[in-house]
Amino acid sequence: MYSQRKLKMNTSKKLQDIKVAVDAVVFGYFDKEDLHILLIKRNIEPFKGGWALPGGLVLDDENLDDAVRRELHEEAGIKPDFLEQLYTFGNVGRDPRNRVVSVTYLGLVNPSYHQLSADSDADDAQWFSVNKLPDLAFDHKEIIDTALKRLRTKIQYQPIGFNLLNEEFPFSDLENLYKTIIGQEIDRRNFRKKIMSYGLLNETQNVKKEGSGRPGKLFTFNQEKYKELEEEGFYFEIK
Amino acid sequence: MYSQRKLKMNTSKKLQDIKVAVDAVVFGYFDKEDLHILLIKRNIEPFKGGWALPGGLVLDDENLDDAVRRELHEEAGIKPDFLEQLYTFGNVGRDPRNRVVSVTYLGLVNPSYHQLSADSDADDAQWFSVNKLPDLAFDHKEIIDTALKRLRTKIQYQPIGFNLLNEEFPFSDLENLYKTIIGQEIDRRNFRKKIMSYGLLNETQNVKKEGSGRPGKLFTFNQEKYKELEEEGFYFEIK
DNA sequence: CCAAAAGTGTTAAGAGTACACCCATGC
DNA sequence: GCATGGGTGTACTCTTAACACTTTTGG
């Protein structure tokens, strides 16, 4: 279409036959557990009864972002707090039926604010630990691997992790979240110093009630401050 | 397609009508000049006679990467040394005719090794300074902005810039390249120390002949060494 | 008073940054 | 010998990394 050759192709009846889909890798974090991913049980062939990422074909008059949000809403009743494009998978043969190019997204939600499958049109939607994933349909395993890699890189220089926590959270939740995602121990003191130095946390008057030990103060994430800093070219970095 | 609703949609005659294209932002660097981008003059409507990124529709049996490489070869006679997926642009209305989702790529070539338009099917292929771009077709300006942003970020932590230089280059070429891309002065001594500390450059016995002043030693980039380091989880960083 | 988690500072090492003069060549 | 670009070292500052004890609460 952008050059004569393509025009010829199009007008000579041999129309392109490729479908465009979106799929989302949505991460959820359950306090002190592994990172989880949202999967949908397929109720049609191929891979009927198997697990797959939420997603589906894009409508003709719908932007890509809107398509993912719609699918997530329909299939799992979820509206992610954070959602960004991940990568586009389009190799021949990744879907056994048609050629399908899938634009994938990385999303984050706090599962405690989202009841799964409220009014879903899918058989079943469920959270799976990234360490105990079932066999997956299509090339969805590869998509998840890509998403995990991206998440691990990204969380080290952008404070996206806050979307996975409750609105008010004790500092230790943030600590555990980072430990979980990065997959290694972090120095509590240095981590706290660093995070605090950015001034992105507001201290509340509340304290954590549950659990044993000394109750921790609860914090909220200062979204406005973050946007301010971001515009000034600020660069968050965690190791 | 991944859920019943979509299946119904497909079988009820209302088939999806979206085209899949690829477009490439290929950067070339001419010694001591601005960074350049490869553009193609369109010879069909819309935007006939205007400038656009090289690209076109993906063939049914062709992987996305192959499609970009094919288009670049056809339209400009170029085979980029570096090519990676950038972002997928798919908003409704970005092409005035059909709905087109474009998977875009970022490429780097050394123009001195590539003659433009050798056996091209496009009207014309030309290098434009990123600072003197013509009006562009579709949303291609936005795509270029995204690519520039990505290049500027990426070059600071991955030595992709070497693809823009000759096989043997004086150190000053590298210096100028970084200055050009990042768009600011760099400290010559510190930059050299840093680059050298990674051990990625091999010194050759040759020296630069042209130009005035003291001739500089020529270096080559050690690709194997880079891959080695990359596997060990090495992280290149330039400021 | 015991267990559990929260909260807190200091020091040493390393990395980054700023900075200016001599060298080799062509004309 | 002068103009041009190449090549090099040091001192200071700032950031990162390592490290352990006290506090608050519930039971």
Side-chain angles (χ1 to χ4, degrees):
Chain A
M1 78 180 246
Y2 291 155
S3 77
Q4 212 145 46
R5 215 185 48 68
K6 259 67 63 188
L7 181 70
K8 274 186 240 135
M9 236 189 61
N10 270 351
T11 50
S12 68
K13 308 282 129 53
K14 174 109 185 46
L15 288 166
Q16 190 192 54
D17 183 27
I18 304 181
K19 300 274 169 254
V20 178
V22 288
D23 288 297
V25 181
V26 178
F27 293 101
Y29 174 68
F30 296 87
D31 210 25
K32 304 222 176 110
E33 288 180 56
D34 292 343
L35 202 55
H36 282 61
I37 290 179
L38 176 65
L39 296 178
I40 306 287
K41 193 178 224 166
R42 291 179 56 79
N43 53 15
I44 59 163
E45 293 294 348
F47 300 102
K48 184 168 178 172
W51 295 92
L53 293 172
L57 292 189
V58 175
L59 303 180
D60 284 353
D61 58 354
E62 177 185 56
N63 287 342
L64 299 175
D65 294 25
D66 298 330
V68 203
R69 287 182 203 280
R70 175 180 53 74
E71 292 288 352
L72 285 173
H73 184 68
E74 286 175 6
E75 298 187 345
I78 265 186
K79 300 188 185 202
D81 306 304
F82 174 88
L83 190 66
E84 68 167 22
Q85 199 181 294
L86 175 64
Y87 194 80
T88 298
F89 293 80
N91 275 357
V92 173
R94 51 180 294 281
D95 188 306
R97 297 158 298 176
N98 313 304
R99 174 78 186 274
V100 179
V101 167
S102 176
V103 183
T104 65
Y105 282 75
L106 186 161
L108 304 178
V109 290
N110 179 334
S112 48
Y113 294 147
H114 293 270
Q115 194 62 290
L116 285 193
S117 285
D119 42 11
S120 147
D121 73 343
D123 250 10
D124 204 2
Q126 245 179 252
W127 290 108
F128 285 84
S129 156
V130 292
N131 299 313
K132 290 173 200 154
L133 292 176
D135 282 341
L136 290 158
F138 309 104
D139 55 358
H140 288 189
K141 182 68 172 68
E142 189 190 342
I143 298 176
I144 290 176
D145 289 342
T146 307
L148 264 171
K149 214 163 148 188
R150 171 80 70 85
L151 177 64
R152 288 192 175 123
T153 311
K154 189 143 186 142
I155 200 171
Q156 296 186 294
Y157 64 89
Q158 268 194 354
I160 53 174
F162 294 89
N163 296 296
L164 289 164
L165 299 176
N166 288 339
E167 182 158 354
E168 295 200 339
F169 54 90
F171 199 87
S172 55
D173 274 16
L174 192 59
E175 241 174 82
N176 288 323
L177 174 65
Y178 270 80
K179 267 197 283 193
T180 305
I181 295 185
I182 302 175
Q184 60 186 25
E185 287 304 305
I186 52 181
D187 183 294
R188 284 176 56 227
R189 277 175 291 190
N190 292 340
F191 180 73
R192 186 162 180 140
K193 245 182 295 175
K194 187 125 202 181
I195 295 279
M196 288 312 188
S197 73
Y198 290 112
L200 292 170
L201 295 191
N202 293 131
E203 200 174 315
T204 69
Q205 297 312 311
N206 311 329
V207 293
K208 182 178 166 192
K209 291 269 158 18
E210 346 131 37
S212 62
R214 175 175 175 176
K217 291 179 206 151
L218 296 181
F219 295 87
T220 58
F221 176 59
N222 190 336
Q223 203 93 35
E224 294 76 46
K225 178 86 183 231
Y226 171 57
K227 280 186 189 128
E228 248 177 71
L229 289 170
E230 205 182 18
E231 275 163 28
E232 295 169 20
F234 142 95
Y235 197 76
F236 182 89
E237 191 183 7
I238 297 292
K239 274 198 200 123
Chain B
M1 83 179 241
Y2 290 155
S3 78
Q4 212 144 47
R5 216 184 47 70
K6 257 69 59 186
L7 182 69
K8 272 187 242 133
M9 235 190 59
N10 269 352
T11 51
S12 67
K13 310 281 129 59
K14 173 111 185 46
L15 289 166
Q16 190 192 54
D17 183 28
I18 305 181
K19 301 275 169 251
V20 178
V22 287
D23 288 296
V25 182
V26 178
F27 293 100
Y29 174 68
F30 297 85
D31 210 24
K32 303 221 175 110
E33 288 181 56
D34 292 344
L35 203 54
H36 282 61
I37 290 179
L38 176 65
L39 297 178
I40 306 287
K41 192 179 225 164
R42 290 180 57 79
N43 52 16
I44 59 162
E45 292 296 346
F47 301 101
K48 184 168 178 173
W51 294 93
L53 292 172
L57 292 187
V58 175
L59 302 181
D60 285 353
D61 58 353
E62 175 185 57
N63 287 342
L64 299 175
D65 295 23
D66 298 330
V68 202
R69 287 181 203 280
R70 176 180 51 75
E71 293 287 352
L72 285 173
H73 184 68
E74 286 174 6
E75 298 187 345
I78 264 186
K79 299 188 183 198
D81 307 305
F82 174 88
L83 189 66
E84 70 167 20
Q85 198 181 292
L86 175 64
Y87 194 80
T88 297
F89 293 80
N91 276 357
V92 172
R94 52 181 293 283
D95 188 307
R97 297 158 300 176
N98 312 305
R99 174 79 185 275
V100 179
V101 167
S102 174
V103 184
T104 64
Y105 282 75
L106 186 161
L108 304 178
V109 291
N110 179 334
S112 46
Y113 295 148
H114 293 270
Q115 194 63 289
L116 284 193
S117 287
D119 42 12
S120 147
D121 72 344
D123 250 10
D124 204 2
Q126 246 180 253
W127 291 107
F128 285 84
S129 156
V130 292
N131 298 314
K132 290 173 202 156
L133 292 175
D135 282 342
L136 290 158
F138 310 106
D139 55 357
H140 289 188
K141 182 66 173 68
E142 190 190 342
I143 298 177
I144 290 175
D145 289 342
T146 305
L148 264 170
K149 214 163 147 189
R150 172 86 132 255
L151 177 64
R152 290 194 173 121
T153 310
K154 190 143 185 143
I155 200 171
Q156 294 186 292
Y157 65 89
Q158 268 193 0
I160 52 174
F162 295 89
N163 296 296
L164 289 165
L165 300 176
N166 289 337
E167 183 159 353
E168 296 200 337
F169 53 90
F171 198 86
S172 54
D173 274 15
L174 193 58
E175 243 174 81
N176 289 322
L177 174 65
Y178 270 80
K179 268 197 280 192
T180 304
I181 295 185
I182 301 175
Q184 61 186 25
E185 287 305 304
I186 52 182
D187 184 293
R188 283 174 57 224
R189 276 175 292 192
N190 292 340
F191 179 73
R192 186 163 180 138
K193 246 181 295 175
K194 187 122 200 183
I195 295 279
M196 288 310 189
S197 74
Y198 291 111
L200 292 170
L201 295 192
N202 293 132
E203 199 173 318
T204 69
Q205 296 313 310
N206 310 330
V207 293
K208 183 178 167 194
K209 292 266 158 19
E210 346 132 37
S212 62
R214 174 176 175 175
K217 292 179 204 150
L218 296 180
F219 295 88
T220 59
F221 177 58
N222 190 335
Q223 202 94 37
E224 294 77 48
K225 178 83 183 234
Y226 171 59
K227 279 189 190 127
E228 248 178 73
L229 290 170
E230 203 182 21
E231 274 162 30
E232 294 170 17
F234 142 95
Y235 198 76
F236 183 88
E237 191 182 6
I238 297 293
K239 272 196 203 128

